[in-house]
Amino acid sequence: MDGPSGSGKSSTSRGVADRLGLRYLDTGAQFRAMTLWMLRHEVDVHDPAAVAARAGDPVLESGTDPLDPTITLDGQDVAEAIRSEAVTAAVSPVATVPAVRARLLDLQRRIISDALDDGGIVVEGRDIGSVVWPEAEVKLYLTADAAARAARRTAENGSGSVEATEAELLRRDQIDSSRATAPLSVPEGAVHLDTTPYDLAEVISRVVAIVEQVR
Ligand code: C5P
Protein backbone atom coordinates (compact mmCIF):
# COMPACT_ATOMS: atom_id res chain seq x y z
CA MET A 1 0.00 0.00 0.00
CA ASP A 2 1.73 3.13 -1.24
CA GLY A 3 0.70 6.75 -1.37
CA PRO A 4 1.44 10.26 -0.14
CA SER A 5 1.14 11.52 3.44
CA GLY A 6 -2.39 11.67 4.81
CA SER A 7 -3.95 9.54 2.07
CA GLY A 8 -5.34 7.18 4.71
CA LYS A 9 -2.70 4.46 4.23
CA SER A 10 -2.07 3.74 7.92
CA SER A 11 -5.66 3.46 9.10
CA THR A 12 -6.60 1.55 5.96
CA SER A 13 -3.66 -0.87 6.12
CA ARG A 14 -4.24 -1.63 9.78
CA GLY A 15 -7.97 -2.10 9.27
CA VAL A 16 -7.48 -4.37 6.27
CA ALA A 17 -4.80 -6.45 8.03
CA ASP A 18 -7.07 -6.84 11.05
CA ARG A 19 -10.08 -7.84 8.92
CA LEU A 20 -8.08 -10.40 6.93
CA GLY A 21 -5.96 -11.79 9.77
CA LEU A 22 -2.69 -10.51 8.28
CA ARG A 23 0.42 -8.94 9.83
CA TYR A 24 1.10 -5.21 9.34
CA LEU A 25 4.24 -3.14 8.75
CA ASP A 26 4.50 0.66 8.82
CA THR A 27 7.71 1.46 6.94
CA GLY A 28 7.22 5.21 7.51
CA ALA A 29 7.62 4.53 11.24
CA GLN A 30 11.01 2.95 10.48
CA PHE A 31 12.20 6.02 8.56
CA ARG A 32 10.91 8.16 11.42
CA ALA A 33 12.82 6.07 14.00
CA MET A 34 16.05 6.40 11.98
CA THR A 35 15.44 10.16 11.89
CA LEU A 36 14.79 10.32 15.62
CA TRP A 37 18.08 8.51 16.24
CA MET A 38 19.97 11.01 14.02
CA LEU A 39 18.40 13.96 15.85
CA ARG A 40 19.17 12.44 19.26
CA HIS A 41 22.79 11.86 18.26
CA GLU A 42 23.11 15.38 16.83
CA VAL A 43 23.77 14.19 13.29
CA ASP A 44 23.10 16.97 10.75
CA VAL A 45 20.06 15.56 8.92
CA HIS A 46 20.73 17.84 5.96
CA ASP A 47 24.20 16.38 5.43
CA PRO A 48 23.67 13.10 3.49
CA ALA A 49 27.26 11.93 4.10
CA ALA A 50 26.92 12.43 7.85
CA VAL A 51 23.60 10.54 7.90
CA ALA A 52 25.01 7.73 5.70
CA ALA A 53 28.00 7.31 8.03
CA ARG A 54 25.68 6.51 10.96
CA ALA A 55 22.95 4.61 9.03
CA GLY A 56 24.11 1.24 10.39
CA ASP A 57 24.12 2.27 14.05
CA PRO A 58 20.46 2.47 15.19
CA VAL A 59 18.98 -0.81 16.45
CA LEU A 60 15.40 -0.95 15.16
CA GLU A 61 12.63 -3.42 15.77
CA SER A 62 9.11 -3.30 14.31
CA GLY A 63 6.21 -5.29 15.76
CA THR A 64 3.70 -6.50 13.14
CA ASP A 65 0.44 -6.76 15.09
CA PRO A 66 -2.07 -4.48 13.27
CA LEU A 67 -3.78 -3.68 16.58
CA ASP A 68 -0.51 -2.82 18.34
CA PRO A 69 2.23 -1.95 15.85
CA THR A 70 5.20 -1.36 18.14
CA ILE A 71 8.49 0.26 17.19
CA THR A 72 11.60 0.24 19.33
CA LEU A 73 14.88 2.08 18.93
CA ASP A 74 17.90 0.76 20.84
CA GLY A 75 15.42 -1.27 22.90
CA GLN A 76 13.22 1.72 23.82
CA ASP A 77 9.58 2.20 22.75
CA VAL A 78 9.52 5.25 20.43
CA ALA A 79 5.97 4.98 19.02
CA GLU A 80 5.09 8.41 20.35
CA ALA A 81 8.45 10.15 19.94
CA ILE A 82 8.57 9.44 16.19
CA ARG A 83 5.40 11.53 15.65
CA SER A 84 6.98 14.78 16.94
CA GLU A 85 7.12 17.86 14.72
CA ALA A 86 10.92 17.76 14.72
CA VAL A 87 10.92 14.20 13.31
CA THR A 88 8.17 15.01 10.77
CA ALA A 89 10.20 17.99 9.53
CA ALA A 90 13.45 15.99 9.19
CA VAL A 91 12.26 12.59 7.95
CA SER A 92 12.04 13.24 4.21
CA PRO A 93 15.65 14.49 3.89
CA VAL A 94 16.85 11.46 5.90
CA ALA A 95 14.76 9.14 3.67
CA THR A 96 16.58 10.43 0.55
CA VAL A 97 19.90 8.97 1.78
CA PRO A 98 20.59 5.69 -0.10
CA ALA A 99 22.42 4.10 2.87
CA VAL A 100 19.34 4.63 5.05
CA ARG A 101 17.08 3.12 2.41
CA ALA A 102 19.39 0.12 1.86
CA ARG A 103 19.52 -0.60 5.59
CA LEU A 104 15.73 -0.44 5.94
CA LEU A 105 15.10 -2.35 2.70
CA ASP A 106 17.00 -5.27 4.13
CA LEU A 107 15.02 -5.16 7.38
CA GLN A 108 11.68 -4.74 5.54
CA ARG A 109 12.33 -7.71 3.26
CA ARG A 110 13.24 -9.90 6.23
CA ILE A 111 10.04 -8.96 8.07
CA ILE A 112 7.94 -9.60 4.94
CA SER A 113 9.56 -13.00 4.28
CA ASP A 114 8.89 -14.09 7.86
CA ALA A 115 5.27 -12.88 7.68
CA LEU A 116 4.62 -14.79 4.46
CA ASP A 117 5.14 -17.99 6.45
CA ASP A 118 2.54 -16.66 8.88
CA GLY A 119 -0.35 -15.95 6.46
CA GLY A 120 0.78 -12.69 4.88
CA ILE A 121 1.26 -9.00 5.58
CA VAL A 122 -0.02 -5.56 4.62
CA VAL A 123 2.94 -3.19 4.20
CA GLU A 124 2.54 0.55 3.86
CA GLY A 125 4.99 3.13 2.56
CA ARG A 126 6.09 5.01 -0.53
CA ASP A 127 8.07 2.39 -2.48
CA ILE A 128 6.58 -0.94 -1.40
CA GLY A 129 5.07 -2.04 -4.73
CA SER A 130 7.89 -0.52 -6.80
CA VAL A 131 11.05 -1.48 -4.86
CA VAL A 132 10.53 -3.33 -1.58
CA TRP A 133 8.24 -6.14 -2.79
CA PRO A 134 7.35 -5.77 -6.50
CA GLU A 135 5.96 -9.33 -6.52
CA ALA A 136 3.19 -8.42 -4.02
CA GLU A 137 -0.08 -10.24 -4.63
CA VAL A 138 -2.05 -6.98 -4.45
CA LYS A 139 -0.68 -3.47 -4.98
CA LEU A 140 -2.64 -0.42 -3.97
CA TYR A 141 -1.92 3.24 -4.45
CA LEU A 142 -4.00 5.48 -2.21
CA THR A 143 -4.46 9.19 -2.84
CA ALA A 144 -6.78 11.98 -1.71
CA ASP A 145 -7.05 15.71 -2.43
CA ALA A 146 -4.41 17.70 -0.57
CA ALA A 147 -7.12 19.63 1.30
CA ALA A 148 -8.81 16.40 2.43
CA ARG A 149 -5.46 14.89 3.50
CA ALA A 150 -4.59 18.02 5.48
CA ALA A 151 -8.00 18.08 7.18
CA ARG A 152 -7.63 14.41 8.23
CA ARG A 153 -4.07 14.87 9.49
CA THR A 154 -5.00 18.03 11.45
CA ALA A 155 -7.91 16.20 13.10
CA GLU A 156 -5.56 13.30 13.99
CA ASN A 157 -2.97 15.68 15.47
CA GLY A 158 -5.65 17.51 17.45
CA SER A 159 -3.84 20.83 16.94
CA GLY A 160 -2.49 23.22 14.28
CA SER A 161 -4.14 24.86 11.30
CA VAL A 162 -5.29 22.93 8.22
CA GLU A 163 -3.34 25.39 6.02
CA ALA A 164 -0.05 24.78 7.85
CA THR A 165 -0.60 21.00 7.77
CA GLU A 166 -1.34 21.14 4.03
CA ALA A 167 1.87 23.10 3.37
CA GLU A 168 3.87 20.51 5.39
CA LEU A 169 2.26 17.57 3.52
CA LEU A 170 2.95 19.15 0.14
CA ARG A 171 6.56 19.86 1.13
CA ARG A 172 7.09 16.19 2.07
CA ASP A 173 5.29 14.96 -1.09
CA GLN A 174 7.62 17.09 -3.17
CA ILE A 175 10.80 15.69 -1.56
CA ASP A 176 9.44 12.11 -1.56
CA SER A 177 8.42 12.24 -5.24
CA SER A 178 11.57 13.83 -6.58
CA ARG A 179 14.36 11.91 -4.80
CA ALA A 180 16.69 9.76 -6.90
CA THR A 181 16.38 6.51 -4.91
CA ALA A 182 12.96 4.83 -4.70
CA PRO A 183 10.77 7.93 -5.19
CA LEU A 184 7.06 7.91 -4.39
CA SER A 185 5.37 6.67 -7.57
CA VAL A 186 2.40 4.61 -8.69
CA PRO A 187 3.85 1.09 -8.98
CA GLU A 188 3.24 -0.95 -12.11
CA GLY A 189 0.09 -3.02 -11.75
CA ALA A 190 -1.24 -1.03 -8.77
CA VAL A 191 -4.93 -0.31 -8.23
CA HIS A 192 -5.27 3.45 -7.79
CA LEU A 193 -7.86 4.38 -5.16
CA ASP A 194 -8.81 8.02 -4.56
CA THR A 195 -10.15 8.06 -0.99
CA THR A 196 -11.37 11.71 -0.98
CA PRO A 197 -15.11 10.93 -1.04
CA TYR A 198 -15.05 7.97 1.37
CA ASP A 199 -14.87 7.50 5.11
CA LEU A 200 -12.44 4.98 6.59
CA ALA A 201 -14.92 2.09 6.84
CA GLU A 202 -15.78 2.48 3.15
CA VAL A 203 -12.12 2.53 2.09
CA ILE A 204 -11.36 -0.59 4.16
CA SER A 205 -14.35 -2.43 2.63
CA ARG A 206 -13.25 -1.49 -0.89
CA VAL A 207 -9.69 -2.65 -0.28
CA VAL A 208 -10.84 -5.91 1.34
CA ALA A 209 -13.03 -6.54 -1.73
CA ILE A 210 -10.06 -5.92 -4.04
CA VAL A 211 -7.86 -8.33 -2.04
CA GLU A 212 -10.56 -11.01 -1.97
CA GLN A 213 -11.01 -10.74 -5.72
CA VAL A 214 -7.34 -11.48 -6.29
CA ARG A 215 -7.06 -14.34 -3.79
O1 C5P B 1 4.21 7.40 6.27
P1 C5P B 1 4.89 8.50 7.04
O2 C5P B 1 4.33 9.85 6.77
O3 C5P B 1 5.04 8.21 8.49
O4 C5P B 1 6.38 8.50 6.45
C1 C5P B 1 7.33 9.44 6.85
C2 C5P B 1 8.34 9.70 5.75
O5 C5P B 1 9.16 8.53 5.58
C3 C5P B 1 7.78 9.99 4.37
O6 C5P B 1 7.45 11.36 4.20
C4 C5P B 1 8.95 9.58 3.48
O7 C5P B 1 9.91 10.63 3.41
C5 C5P B 1 9.57 8.43 4.22
N1 C5P B 1 9.18 7.12 3.70
C6 C5P B 1 9.84 6.64 2.59
N2 C5P B 1 9.59 5.39 2.12
C7 C5P B 1 8.68 4.60 2.72
C8 C5P B 1 7.96 5.08 3.84
C9 C5P B 1 8.22 6.36 4.30
O8 C5P B 1 10.67 7.35 2.03
N3 C5P B 1 8.47 3.37 2.25
Side-chain angles (χ1 to χ4, degrees), residues 1 23 29 37 39 50 57 82 93 130 138 154-155 157 162 182 212 215:
M1 180 108 54
R23 312 306 300 175
W37 192 95
L39 293 173
D57 295 345
I82 60 169
S130 55
V138 184
T154 310
N157 293 345
V162 177
E212 282 174 344
R215 293 186 126 195

Side-chain angles (χ1 to χ4, degrees), residues 20-65:
L20 296 174
L22 302 170
R23 312 306 300 175
Y24 161 74
L25 177 64
D26 176 1
T27 62
Q30 298 178 320
F31 285 96
R32 286 172 177 274
M34 288 289 265
T35 304
L36 178 64
W37 192 95
M38 298 296 161
L39 293 173
R40 284 183 173 172
H41 290 79
E42 290 176 4
V43 176
D44 179 358
V45 293
H46 297 289
D47 177 350
V51 171
R54 307 300 302 273
D57 295 345
V59 179
L60 269 187
E61 265 180 78
S62 296
T64 59
D65 178 349

Side-chain angles (χ1 to χ4, degrees), residues 5 9 27-28 31-32 83 91-92 95 101 125-128 172 176 179:
S5 310
K9 287 188 314 287
T27 62
F31 285 96
R32 286 172 177 274
R83 305 288 159 195
V91 63
S92 286
R101 304 204 70 85
R126 303 290 188 292
D127 61 339
I128 310 306
R172 278 205 286 148
D176 294 344
R179 66 177 175 236

